Amino acid sequence: MSDMTIIQDKLRFAFQDMVVYKHPTQNKFFASLSIPSYMRDWLVMRFAGNDGKVNMDEVSEYVKKNIPGEKDWELLKSNMIKGGQKVRFLAKIRVELDVKTGEGLFSLPDLGFPSRKSEAIVHDRVLRQNKEDLLSSHETWGVIECEWNPIGLSGKDKDGAIYLCDFKPFKPYKVDLDFFREMRVEFSLEEWIDVLLLAVDYNPIGFLDTKQKLTLLSRLLPFVEKRVNLVELAPKGTGKSYLLSQISKYGWLVSGGSISRARLFYDISRKSGGLVSRYDYVAFDEVQTISFPDINEVRGALKGYLETGVSHIGEQEVKGEAGLILLGNISDDRMNENANMFTELPVAFQESALLDRFHGFIKGWNIPRMRENMKAEGWALNVEYFSEIMHALRDEIIYRAIVDELLDVPRGSDTRDTEAIKRICTGFLKLFFPNIKSVKDVNLEEFSEYCLNPAKQMRAIIKRQLHLMDSEYRDGVPDINIHRNLLRQLAE
């Protein structure tokens, strides 16, 4: 029996209803329908037989009936307006409050509706009952029920609108973190690393070594730890945007173009929070193509936010828990941590005081380009369940307390370096050792190798780059180590 077969058998025994059979061909089918991975796995589980395989014709029929595309919208409108029917379907929805009227207005991005704001209105009852789901996210998936009313906001006949009359958020799993922690002990660390890779659609067999695996999994740090700010430079085709856009509905990927301070932090005219107050992380994909209408305005807001999680926009204090991630492509000849790679970033980010607020650097060139043998095949944790687990882990404070107790920080250490190392270290602890409840549970050698050392290395590259940009910055990080008394206990 192969190692992968053993891991998948363990997964099926330990997690039972939370595993799904993944196959590259299935994944291509769902990708062609623009259905994200977390919803794909839910659909596969819904239609899977005991062997995990699904009848794609059945799935296709379900999707056609329940997840309409833009070409289906006119028929749905006809059923509402001409047929007097309520229509019910699964879709991505965006809701915002209109400042002038106080009404909730919705849009369906995948259906291209509405063309005018006043055409799509949220019933007050629906907004009250689902305020947290509809207003705390920029977009969210759910089961939507709509109806047409010939009298819209104006109160006049023949000024009709489509009303959202019912909404159920897409939350198919109730997360039990204690159960997840308990199941971790069923796997060795090596096996668990492969479990994590399978959960995010990667086949461990496609990686040459553990270093490649750990580099890829470091992309998950903002999924499990609040306000982890990272820079990753990597060759094209290494899956940066896929992981950050398809695995979790709690993240947001900005793909090029211009982005304003209002969209990022707070829109004064609409009195609504921006992306950092709505998501677990905000990633700038192909950051070289990102621009800002007013660089100094955005820089000022970024500095405050990256430092403390708070930014002041006008008279408004904006708080958020989202990590900020810069994703850039880099050519082979530029992949050198001992040369200034930050010249690859847009001008807005080429300021040492701003970059110092990023906690760590991911060497994306350690991750191989996507190949067919890197795509998950076989039994794995389903993406939706795993993304909910990662989201829930963000609120668990015991892990940071353990890290604080474990680490001995020299008195003269730079505060930003210390915080960066501890924050990254905590994220790795949550990913690799979620079962840890106290310092007594920690294997100090594994903690050092898989949490502390990678955290120091990721921060050290940031400091090296800062030193190359500005000689006022020291090259290197504090000599943070595990407390000697704990090491002595281990030796005894």
Side-chain angles (χ1 to χ4, degrees):
M1 189 179 291
S2 69
D3 290 343
M4 287 308 303
T5 302
I6 292 171
I7 291 171
Q8 292 185 20
D9 285 348
K10 280 188 174 184
L11 270 170
R12 295 189 72 183
F13 176 77
F15 287 97
Q16 299 181 8
D17 294 340
M18 299 308 171
V19 295
V20 66
Y21 191 88
K22 300 187 180 185
H23 194 279
T25 303
Q26 264 178 200
N27 295 355
K28 285 180 182 178
F29 168 77
F30 287 104
S32 70
L33 299 175
S34 299
I35 292 175
S37 299
Y38 54 82
M39 186 167 289
R40 175 206 69 205
D41 283 1
W42 174 74
L43 286 168
V44 170
M45 288 182 69
R46 185 183 177 103
F47 290 96
N50 291 332
D51 61 354
K53 307 292 177 60
V54 297
N55 183 320
M56 296 310 292
D57 290 335
E58 286 184 5
V59 176
S60 184
E61 186 62 29
Y62 177 87
V63 170
K64 185 178 180 180
K65 184 178 179 181
N66 295 283
I67 309 179
E70 193 166 354
K71 66 182 185 301
D72 305 310
W73 180 240
E74 288 304 315
L75 178 59
L76 289 173
K77 279 201 298 183
S78 175
N79 290 341
M80 288 184 282
I81 297 171
K82 300 299 185 184
Q85 302 174 17
K86 290 183 179 181
V87 297
R88 192 175 182 86
F89 53 91
L90 186 60
K92 183 164 58 179
I93 186 170
R94 178 187 302 159
V95 173
E96 60 182 34
L97 289 176
D98 185 85
V99 175
K100 290 183 180 179
T101 65
E103 295 283 349
L105 305 177
F106 75 94
S107 61
L108 305 172
D110 293 341
L111 305 182
F113 178 78
S115 56
R116 294 182 294 111
K117 284 185 176 181
S118 57
E119 292 178 338
I121 304 165
V122 184
H123 271 302
D124 287 343
R125 170 187 53 79
V126 176
L127 193 59
R128 284 196 307 273
Q129 292 175 352
N130 300 277
K131 184 177 180 181
E132 185 176 333
D133 290 305
L134 290 174
L135 294 179
S136 62
S137 289
H138 191 62
E139 292 175 351
T140 188
W141 279 83
V143 177
I144 290 163
E145 189 171 280
C146 294
E147 64 181 350
W148 182 71
N149 190 321
I151 299 176
L153 284 179
S154 68
K156 299 177 181 178
D157 197 13
K158 295 186 178 179
D159 188 23
I162 289 176
Y163 282 78
L164 180 68
C165 56
D166 195 19
F167 176 78
K168 288 184 173 55
F170 178 75
K171 290 183 177 178
Y173 307 107
K174 185 176 180 181
V175 171
D176 184 343
L177 266 181
D178 288 335
F179 170 77
F180 180 78
R181 292 185 182 109
E182 289 169 10
M183 291 305 101
R184 165 63 181 90
V185 302
E186 300 295 324
F187 301 85
S188 69
L189 177 56
E190 188 177 59
E191 289 173 336
W192 187 249
I193 288 169
D194 289 349
V195 166
L196 298 180
L197 289 168
L198 286 164
V200 294
D201 290 350
Y202 280 88
N203 192 334
I205 293 173
F207 293 81
L208 293 177
D209 53 34
T210 302
K211 181 173 77 171
Q212 288 188 348
K213 294 178 180 181
L214 296 182
T215 305
L216 186 133
L217 291 174
S218 65
R219 289 175 174 171
L220 297 180
L221 289 168
F223 290 65
V224 296
E225 181 67 8
K226 295 176 181 177
R227 291 182 41 240
V228 171
N229 308 314
L230 303 174
V231 179
E232 178 179 352
L233 296 178
K236 294 178 181 178
T238 55
K240 299 186 294 296
S241 56
Y242 175 81
L243 198 70
L244 290 157
S245 66
Q246 296 294 306
I247 299 301
S248 173
K249 59 178 174 282
Y250 298 108
W252 188 260
L253 190 74
V254 179
S255 298
S258 177
I259 183 165
S260 65
R261 184 182 69 173
R263 189 179 175 207
L264 258 184
F265 295 102
Y266 185 79
D267 190 322
I268 296 174
S269 63
R270 294 184 177 183
K271 296 183 179 179
S272 62
L275 296 174
V276 299
S277 61
R278 296 175 175 178
Y279 289 98
D280 287 357
Y281 60 83
V282 177
F284 289 167
D285 192 21
E286 297 190 5
V287 69
Q288 292 97 329
T289 65
I290 298 284
S291 61
F292 303 102
D294 187 328
I295 289 177
N296 291 329
E297 181 183 72
V298 172
R299 269 183 180 169
L302 278 170
K303 284 179 183 176
Y305 178 78
L306 294 174
E307 185 81 14
T308 63
V310 177
S311 191
H312 293 87
I313 311 297
E315 297 180 356
Q316 186 70 30
E317 183 179 77
V318 181
K319 295 181 180 180
E321 295 179 339
L324 191 67
I325 308 147
L326 307 184
L327 302 171
N329 296 323
I330 189 170
S331 58
D332 291 348
D333 60 319
R334 298 289 298 164
M335 299 176 196
N336 182 1
E337 62 192 85
N338 295 312
N340 187 353
M341 296 182 292
F342 284 172
T343 55
E344 300 290 309
L345 300 177
V347 173
F349 289 101
Q350 290 188 32
E351 180 187 340
S352 55
L354 178 60
L355 287 167
D356 191 21
R357 289 161 165 81
F358 283 84
H359 301 119
F361 183 94
I362 298 175
K363 292 196 286 187
W365 55 85
N366 285 340
I367 300 169
R369 283 180 59 85
M370 177 56 71
R371 301 184 303 270
E372 289 302 311
N373 69 341
M374 291 179 67
K375 297 176 181 178
E377 185 170 353
W379 294 98
L381 289 177
N382 85 68
V383 171
E384 170 66 10
Y385 170 71
F386 184 56
S387 71
E388 290 290 345
I389 287 290
M390 290 191 290
H391 178 67
L393 281 169
R394 290 167 62 88
D395 289 325
E396 295 297 303
I397 60 175
I398 184 63
Y399 299 98
R400 176 56 186 263
I402 291 170
V403 168
D404 286 338
E405 191 175 346
L406 281 169
L407 297 185
D408 182 19
V409 179
R411 294 184 66 182
S413 298
D414 181 276
T415 300
R416 282 186 187 152
D417 291 342
T418 302
E419 180 60 27
I421 290 168
K422 285 188 172 184
R423 196 165 294 194
I424 294 172
C425 199
T426 302
F428 280 130
L429 187 65
K430 290 177 178 180
L431 281 173
F432 299 138
F433 310 102
N435 54 303
I436 298 299
K437 295 180 180 178
S438 72
V439 170
K440 294 177 181 178
D441 300 328
V442 178
N443 179 313
L444 297 181
E445 290 182 354
E446 289 183 341
F447 173 80
S448 182
E449 183 176 354
Y450 290 91
C451 301
L452 178 56
N453 290 343
K456 289 165 73 172
Q457 290 162 10
M458 289 175 69
R459 179 59 182 173
I461 298 174
I462 294 286
K463 290 303 294 286
R464 177 64 174 159
Q465 293 296 301
L466 288 171
H467 177 71
L468 292 170
M469 289 177 67
D470 185 345
S471 59
E472 288 188 14
Y473 285 87
R474 294 180 59 185
D475 186 6
V477 295
D479 188 25
I480 297 174
N481 290 296
I482 298 171
H483 274 291
R484 291 179 182 175
N485 59 333
L486 293 174
L487 290 172
R488 279 198 297 269
Q489 291 173 23
L490 178 66
E492 292 171 0

